[in-house]
Amino acid sequence: MKVNSAQEAVAIIESDQSVFVHTAAATPVPLVEAMSERAPELHDVKVYHMHTEGAAAYADEAHHKSFEINSLFLGGNVRKAHSAGRVNFIPCFLSEVPIMIRSGVIPVDVALIQVSPPDKHGYCSLGISIDATKAAVDCAKVIIAQVNPRMPRTHGDGLIHISRLTRYFEATTELPELPPHALTPEEKAIGEHVAQLIDDRATLQMGIGAIPDAVLACLGNHKDLGVHTEMFSDGVIPLMEKGVITNKYKSRHKDVLVSGFMIGSRKLYDFVDDNPMIRMLDIEYVNDTKVIRKIDNMISINSAIEVDLTGQVCADSIGTTMYSGVGGQMDFIRGASLSKGGKPIIALTSTTRRGESKISSVLKPGAGVVTTRAHVQYVATEYGVANLYGKNLRQRAKALTEIAHPDHRESLEKAAFERFK
């Protein structure tokens, strides 16, 4: 049923229902705002989401009794609300979010989504975020959509017939963008170190941000790379245009780039629009370790907040303060480590902006272990790469100290001696 506005579209949301919000740059901001405006007349609406863009007004203090918020990955728009106790965090692997939705562990009465205009057959596209939204759409009793001509139409699992939309309205709004930024010398150095670990014909998984962009920027002389990743950004475009990323030798989905969602600049969104070389698939499949391990020469590149001297990786919190989420790091770390010729890599700058060492003697009290010391293999900073695979704790401490910032190596050596004698 077509309506005239976001306000009319969300008028059918009722108290005590569970609402899933479309992910990342596909967040239907007008629908989120309209739902939040209804706070005075609603109570106990359970909101589930992963990382979203735009203001999350439902998390405002004034709406605390109207919405119970459950985040599976904390973005910057809800971190303060989480710290204040207004947002709950659900730890989980990204690959399991669709499983929890389809099994009813996470109930979805209403899905708020953003789609492309329908084609001549009536099919819209979930566009740049299929991820777990596909599962939410499959299970929702009510689907409320913004039909936006600025949403790219992508190939893969994201098609939905317009007849499935309970209510929709048409509105042209620009999608959130995350354009690349100038790389620092430290980020460039990390990119160079990691690039040396990548062989021709390897398949890559990488996220977004400075370090993945730095790695991609150093791959211009590689040949026939592939991509199978939960998410990607602008850095793949020049490599696909130059013929560096061809996907010709992938063990699965030969000749196409596979992903679950993306966020980047308008150039990226235009690049993927109706591009048959891009396949956007359900994240339950993309991040399935059984799938990833069958891709030969799988290279997984993930970042971290800190790594301790035994190799424990914290990537979701700063001490007891939640920062992001578990995401797909472990899905790909394990999958890549089991892949024939695969390499799981954790890459991070050696220090924080305040000069604190990210290679720490012990993790901060309360810090979450996302990748265990038994799973970690390669750790890279601007000072080099530590290969921890098969190494004992003393050997790990030595290797990690060698890639820490020089200002912190003496204290790390002392801590290692005191701990491991």
Side-chain angles (χ1 to χ4, degrees), residues 96-107 135 139 284:
E96 293 191 349
V97 179
I99 296 171
M100 290 190 285
I101 292 173
R102 291 186 169 112
S103 66
V105 172
I106 293 178
C139 297
E284 181 180 343

Side-chain angles (χ1 to χ4, degrees), residues 52-321:
T52 60
E53 290 289 323
Y58 49 77
D60 290 351
E61 186 175 2
H63 303 333
H64 188 41
K65 293 183 179 180
S66 301
F67 302 105
E68 178 192 307
I69 305 160
N70 296 279
S71 178
L72 298 118
F73 195 95
L74 296 169
N77 56 358
V78 294
R79 285 185 191 126
K80 289 183 179 179
H82 175 266
S83 296
R86 299 193 301 274
V87 173
N88 302 304
F89 171 68
I90 301 175
C92 59
F93 299 129
L94 181 53
S95 59
E96 293 191 349
V97 179
I99 296 171
M100 290 190 285
I101 292 173
R102 291 186 169 112
S103 66
V105 172
I106 293 178
V108 179
D109 298 311
V110 180
L112 298 184
I113 63 174
Q114 183 175 187
V115 297
S116 69
D119 62 15
K120 63 181 180 180
H121 304 292
Y123 285 93
C124 305
S125 169
L126 292 172
I128 56 178
S129 285
I130 311 305
D131 47 72
T133 304
K134 164 66 173 169
V137 165
D138 289 345
C139 297
K141 303 177 182 69
V142 174
I143 302 173
I144 302 173
Q146 174 189 356
V147 177
N148 186 359
R150 299 296 281 162
M151 173 65 80
R153 181 180 181 81
T154 57
H155 295 239
D157 290 340
L159 295 181
I160 177 172
H161 198 271
I162 198 163
S163 63
R164 284 272 290 125
L165 306 181
T166 311
R167 286 194 180 181
Y168 69 93
F169 77 108
E170 297 174 350
T172 301
T173 57
E174 293 299 329
L175 300 176
E177 296 184 39
L178 186 65
H181 76 271
L183 298 174
T184 66
E186 292 79 11
E187 291 160 352
K188 291 178 181 178
I190 294 172
E192 292 170 357
H193 291 313
V194 173
Q196 292 176 12
L197 297 173
I198 300 172
D199 297 323
D200 292 340
R201 302 186 180 183
T203 296
L204 309 179
Q205 174 264 327
M206 63 281 161
I208 62 171
I211 291 177
D213 285 348
V215 175
L216 292 170
C218 294
L219 298 177
N221 294 323
H222 280 62
K223 296 179 176 63
D224 292 317
L225 298 176
V227 176
H228 180 105
T229 184
E230 67 186 43
M231 63 186 301
F232 68 100
S233 192
D234 289 65
V236 304
I237 299 176
L239 295 181
M240 292 188 74
E241 292 176 338
K242 293 176 182 177
V244 174
I245 293 176
T246 64
N247 298 292
K248 285 173 59 177
Y249 294 94
K250 289 171 63 180
S251 307
R252 288 198 169 199
H253 299 285
K254 184 179 177 182
D255 298 325
V256 297
L257 181 155
V258 168
S259 186
F261 66 103
M262 72 191 78
I263 182 169
S265 70
R266 187 67 229 180
K267 181 180 180 181
L268 176 69
Y269 305 150
D270 291 339
F271 179 78
V272 303
D273 184 38
D274 199 29
N275 188 337
M277 296 296 99
I278 310 294
R279 195 69 53 83
M280 303 297 292
L281 303 180
D282 191 318
I283 213 71
E284 181 180 343
Y285 173 84
V286 174
N287 281 42
D288 188 337
T289 300
K290 295 192 299 294
V291 172
I292 298 165
R293 69 180 296 175
K294 292 179 181 178
I295 302 173
D296 293 345
N297 304 310
M298 185 74 216
I299 308 295
S300 172
I301 306 166
N302 288 273
S303 193
I305 293 173
E306 61 174 328
V307 179
D308 77 5
L309 286 177
T310 72
Q312 293 188 116
V313 177
C314 172
D316 65 354
S317 66
I318 302 172
T320 58
T321 301

